[in-house]
Amino acid sequence: MRLYVILKALAPKLVLIGILLWCYANRLLLRRYGLIPEHSVEPHNVVTASEESIWHDLIQDTLPPGALKPLCALVSAELLGEVVIKSLSLTSIGASLAAVRPGGLWSPTSCTSRFHVAIIIPYRDREKSLQTLMHHLHPILQRQQIDYGIYVIEQTFSKPFNRAKLFNIGYSEALKHNNYSCLIFHDVDLLPLNDRNMYACSQQPRHMSSSINIFRYNLPYAELFGGVSAISAAQFRKLNGFSNRYFGWGGEDDDMYERVKKQRMSITRWPMHISRYTMLSHRKETPSEHRFEQASYTFLGTLCSHTGRKLPVNIGS
């Protein structure tokens, strides 16, 4: 009887100890597979902006001399907030792209956009994902009244996928076509779930996809800078672009985080309920052999041959 009383008194403490041990074991497993880093304190150069301040932190273009149309409103009246992912059909795809000019270009007709943006998408063998993204993204960009161009940079099959180098090629090609002030680096499998998540650049590099469904809309680790990010053209030049060295999955986004830190910049994030994305199912790429190495700060590198607005490239050289 006395033993029963003692065990009954200790039961809550034993349960608490069990929970703590379970959490600790899970944390070790997450570290083992690279989902969280060894440190858990949020870095001083990562800033989560308040919902009240996000709009005024955006980098805005001024009205050009001789413009016939006034500037668009900073916050478009057409925004819906949360958006629904609709199923694909030929009719709906045609309707969403009807106003898009050849080359993936669009600009408002009733006003002059405050934001001139290139969306750069690295791509290989993901046609269904690309169709879904285009069908979903174009209407959002148009409701945001963005003057934009979408650049799909397609890699050939001779080498493992190099996401970062495709981003560098996209940057170079986009600025040949237009004087974009803002660059959005966008994975093909991520769909935004809130059209108040502006596809525009902030005063500091912005991590746009900090809340993704596969992570239960939580941030896996504070230094994460992958998925979708917004970097101004001036910031991108200062950061010297992405590293070209990461063939295969992973590493290039952490490398970019180190570049941001080295240049004494901050990473901005918007509130989690605005930064929500869903990830389309896909086959995983082979992990990069160099993803755990120290950031290398390589140069943008020599660009290889490519043609058209959807740019097939061979980055094996």
Side-chain angles (χ1 to χ4, degrees):
M1 185 66 181
R2 186 175 180 181
L3 180 60
Y4 171 77
V5 172
I6 294 173
L7 290 176
K8 186 176 180 180
L10 291 176
K13 295 180 181 179
L14 293 174
V15 170
L16 179 59
I17 291 172
I19 292 173
L20 291 175
L21 289 173
W22 182 85
C23 292
Y24 180 70
N26 274 272
R27 189 172 182 81
L28 289 178
L29 287 172
L30 289 173
R31 283 179 179 165
R32 169 65 179 82
Y33 292 103
L35 293 179
I36 61 173
E38 290 297 322
H39 47 286
S40 58
V41 178
E42 183 169 290
H44 64 84
N45 64 324
V46 177
V47 178
T48 301
S50 66
E51 191 166 356
E52 294 74 26
S53 67
I54 56 179
W55 305 99
H56 299 288
D57 190 49
L58 294 173
I59 298 174
Q60 304 176 44
D61 296 329
T62 57
L63 193 67
L68 301 178
K69 296 179 290 185
L71 282 174
C72 300
L74 176 58
V75 184
S76 170
E78 300 176 19
L79 298 182
L80 305 175
E82 294 185 10
V83 294
V84 177
I85 299 174
K86 299 178 181 178
S87 58
L88 283 174
S89 68
L90 292 177
T91 303
S92 61
I93 292 174
S96 66
L97 302 181
V100 179
R101 302 194 302 276
L105 307 175
W106 187 89
S107 56
T109 57
S110 60
C111 57
T112 302
S113 180
R114 296 171 183 263
F115 311 107
H116 296 80
V117 180
I119 295 97
I120 300 169
I121 302 170
Y123 172 80
R124 181 168 70 182
D125 194 29
R126 300 278 290 280
E127 184 175 359
K128 183 63 178 296
S129 294
L130 183 61
Q131 289 178 352
T132 302
L133 176 62
M134 294 299 97
H135 171 56
H136 183 76
L137 187 58
H138 275 293
I140 290 175
L141 297 172
Q142 291 167 19
R143 290 198 298 273
Q144 293 180 350
Q145 296 182 319
I146 306 288
D147 185 332
Y148 68 87
I150 294 180
Y151 297 81
V152 179
I153 315 300
E154 182 177 15
Q155 182 180 328
T156 59
F157 286 90
S158 59
K159 292 285 183 179
F161 196 64
N162 191 323
R163 174 178 179 267
K165 197 167 187 179
L166 296 178
F167 279 149
N168 290 337
I169 292 171
Y171 157 81
S172 179
E173 287 299 319
L175 266 66
K176 287 180 184 177
H177 292 105
N178 206 329
N179 188 28
Y180 295 108
S181 56
C182 177
L183 311 163
I184 307 292
F185 300 99
H186 205 301
D187 284 352
V188 73
D189 54 11
L190 287 177
L191 306 182
L193 299 179
N194 192 315
D195 64 7
R196 292 175 67 82
N197 191 5
M198 286 293 291
Y199 273 64
C201 289
S202 299
Q203 300 298 326
Q204 297 290 332
R206 180 158 65 95
H207 183 214
M208 297 178 63
S209 57
S210 57
S211 180
I212 304 179
N213 64 326
I214 62 166
F215 300 126
R216 298 185 180 182
Y217 301 108
N218 292 308
L219 189 67
Y221 58 96
E223 296 85 353
L224 181 63
F225 197 51
V228 184
S229 56
I231 306 175
S232 75
Q235 292 164 358
F236 194 73
R237 287 189 290 269
K238 188 175 182 180
L239 293 168
N240 199 28
F242 285 86
S243 171
N244 291 323
R245 295 189 177 185
Y246 293 92
F247 285 87
W249 177 84
E252 75 288 332
D253 48 354
D254 294 323
D255 185 293
M256 177 55 81
Y257 169 82
E258 294 297 332
R259 291 165 184 253
V260 171
K261 186 168 68 173
K262 185 178 178 66
Q263 292 298 331
R264 301 185 182 279
M265 296 182 187
S266 299
I267 289 176
T268 300
R269 293 193 178 105
W270 284 14
M272 300 290 272
H273 69 280
I274 294 178
S275 304
R276 286 193 164 201
Y277 283 76
T278 192
M279 180 177 287
L280 300 172
S281 60
H282 61 281
R283 180 179 59 83
K284 300 295 183 184
E285 294 284 344
T286 303
S288 167
E289 296 177 0
H290 308 290
R291 66 190 187 280
F292 298 127
E293 294 178 1
Q294 185 177 4
S296 54
Y297 307 110
T298 54
F299 287 93
L300 288 175
T302 303
L303 307 183
C304 301
S305 59
H306 35 262
T307 57
R309 199 57 56 82
K310 182 178 179 182
L311 306 166
V313 295
N314 185 335
I315 58 177
S317 59

